[in-house]
C-alpha cells in the first residue's frame, strides 16, 4: 500500500499549522498575550505568543508540516517498495 504524498503532506500541514495556531490562542486565553518568544520562536521567524504571532505560526506550521509530511510519505513509499511484507 502506497501513501498519497500530496494528501499526506497537506494533512500534516493542516494538523501542525492549526495545532500551533490553536495552542497559541489557548496560551493567550490562559496567560494573556505576553509577546514572549518560546522555543518555537527560535525556529519559526516572527512567532510569538500574540495574535499576530499565532497567524505567523499558522503559516510556518503549514509549510513545515507540509514538507515534513511529503518527506515522510515519500520515504515510507520507498521503503515499502523495497521491503514488501509477506502476505499469508
Amino acid at each position: 500500500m502506497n501513501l498519497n504524498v500530496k494528501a499526506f503532506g497537506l494533512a500534516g500541514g493542516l494538523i501542525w499549522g492549526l495545532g500551533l495556531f490553536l495552542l497559541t490562542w489557548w496560551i493567550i486565553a490562559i496567560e494573556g498575550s505576553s509577546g514572549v518568544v518560546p522555543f518555537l520562536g527560535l525556529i519559526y521567524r516572527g512567532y510569538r505568543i500574540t495574535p499576530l504571532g499565532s497567524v505567523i505560526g499558522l503559516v510556518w506550521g503549514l509549510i513545515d508540516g507540509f514538507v515534513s509530511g511529503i518527506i515522510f510519505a515519500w520515504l515510507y513509499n520507498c521503503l515499502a517498495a523495497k521491503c514488501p511484507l509477506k502476505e499469508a
Side-chain angles (χ1 to χ4, degrees), residues 13-14 16-18 20-21 47 53-63:
L14 288 173
W16 184 244
L18 290 174
L20 186 56
F21 180 80
Y47 175 71
S54 69
V55 175
I56 293 171
L58 172 68
V59 172
W60 277 116
L62 286 170
I63 294 168

Side-chain angles (χ1 to χ4, degrees), residues 2-81:
N2 283 340
L3 296 175
N4 184 330
V5 176
K6 291 179 188 175
F8 201 89
L10 181 61
L14 288 173
I15 289 170
W16 184 244
L18 290 174
L20 186 56
F21 180 80
L22 293 174
L23 177 66
T24 304
W25 278 100
W26 178 266
I27 294 171
I28 290 172
I30 300 296
E31 298 178 6
S33 180
S34 61
V36 173
V37 178
F39 175 71
L40 285 176
L42 300 174
I43 299 170
Y44 299 144
R45 186 176 190 101
Y47 175 71
R48 298 194 184 341
I49 305 297
T50 61
L52 178 60
S54 69
V55 175
I56 293 171
L58 172 68
V59 172
W60 277 116
L62 286 170
I63 294 168
D64 186 27
F66 182 74
V67 170
S68 299
I70 284 178
I71 292 170
F72 180 86
W74 174 79
L75 186 60
Y76 175 86
N77 289 340
C78 287
L79 293 175

